[in-house]
Amino acid sequence: MSDNNATYFDGGCDCKAVRYRMLDTPMFVHCCHCRWCQRETGTAFALNALIEADRVVVLAGEVEVVNTPSLSGKGQKIARCPLCKIAVWSNYAGLGDVQRFIRVGTLDDPDRFAPDIHIYTQSKQPWVLLPPGAPAMHAYYEREQHWSAASLERRRAMLERAGR
């Protein structure tokens, strides 16, 4: 979508009680095949668009934050609609509330953001077939090897703004 040359991407939950807007494109998009994501989503993977929290605006409603365990042991906060319980984003303990992991499927136009990388393919469901040539990692990856220079700069600026 465009509005006065500003690019933005809207999304929300199923019942429309929670609506949000990403004010920029994501820095990176993960397709995570770990067992934790499978369990939390109830499906084969989670597709997350990583974006600075200050570039996500809630347009309607309020999210309910649910603290859940994570593989790292540091936990994550899942932001859900308090009515229909759809997860719209997560915040992981490593960066706290500085970065959002937007659930791509909650965007009004989820087709805009294909995965940049498939991670934790060691536990990928065997019937999920990755596209030929798609970047895929057995576990996690080295950010500097896969993110664009522009995304790495956005991340650096995000951490600087947060005093990290």
Side-chain angles (χ1 to χ4, degrees), residues 14-30:
D14 277 349
C15 74
K16 309 288 189 236
V18 171
R19 297 289 299 156
Y20 67 86
R21 175 171 289 162
M22 291 186 350
L23 302 175
D24 205 341
T25 57
M27 293 182 284
F28 205 69
V29 179
H30 288 163

Side-chain angles (χ1 to χ4, degrees), residues 24-30 49-55 74 92-101 140-164:
D24 205 341
T25 57
M27 293 182 284
F28 205 69
V29 179
H30 288 163
L50 285 66
I51 189 167
E52 302 91 327
D54 61 5
R55 296 186 188 188
K74 297 177 183 176
Y92 287 86
L95 289 177
D97 293 333
V98 174
Q99 180 175 278
R100 303 258 189 267
F101 284 63
Y140 204 66
Y141 63 95
E142 293 294 327
R143 185 179 306 106
E144 291 74 19
Q145 293 177 4
H146 295 278
W147 284 36
S148 70
S151 289
L152 288 170
E153 176 54 29
R154 280 176 60 184
R155 184 177 191 279
R156 186 201 60 72
M158 172 187 73
L159 294 174
E160 188 175 284
R161 285 191 306 274
R164 295 179 185 216

Side-chain angles (χ1 to χ4, degrees), residues 38-116:
Q38 290 177 31
R39 204 170 17 259
E40 288 164 0
T41 63
T43 189
F45 51 80
L47 188 58
N48 292 310
L50 285 66
I51 189 167
E52 302 91 327
D54 61 5
R55 296 186 188 188
V56 178
V57 177
V58 176
L59 301 172
E62 291 184 28
V63 295
E64 171 183 82
V65 177
V66 178
N67 292 309
T68 63
S70 67
L71 182 60
S72 71
K74 297 177 183 176
Q76 72 169 309
K77 296 177 182 177
I78 301 177
R80 295 182 175 277
C81 169
L83 301 177
C84 68
K85 304 298 183 192
I86 297 299
V88 290
W89 68 71
S90 289
N91 295 77
Y92 287 86
L95 289 177
D97 293 333
V98 174
Q99 180 175 278
R100 303 258 189 267
F101 284 63
I102 300 289
R103 297 294 198 275
V104 172
T106 66
L107 288 164
D108 293 348
D109 188 6
D111 301 352
R112 297 285 304 258
F113 301 112
D116 292 307

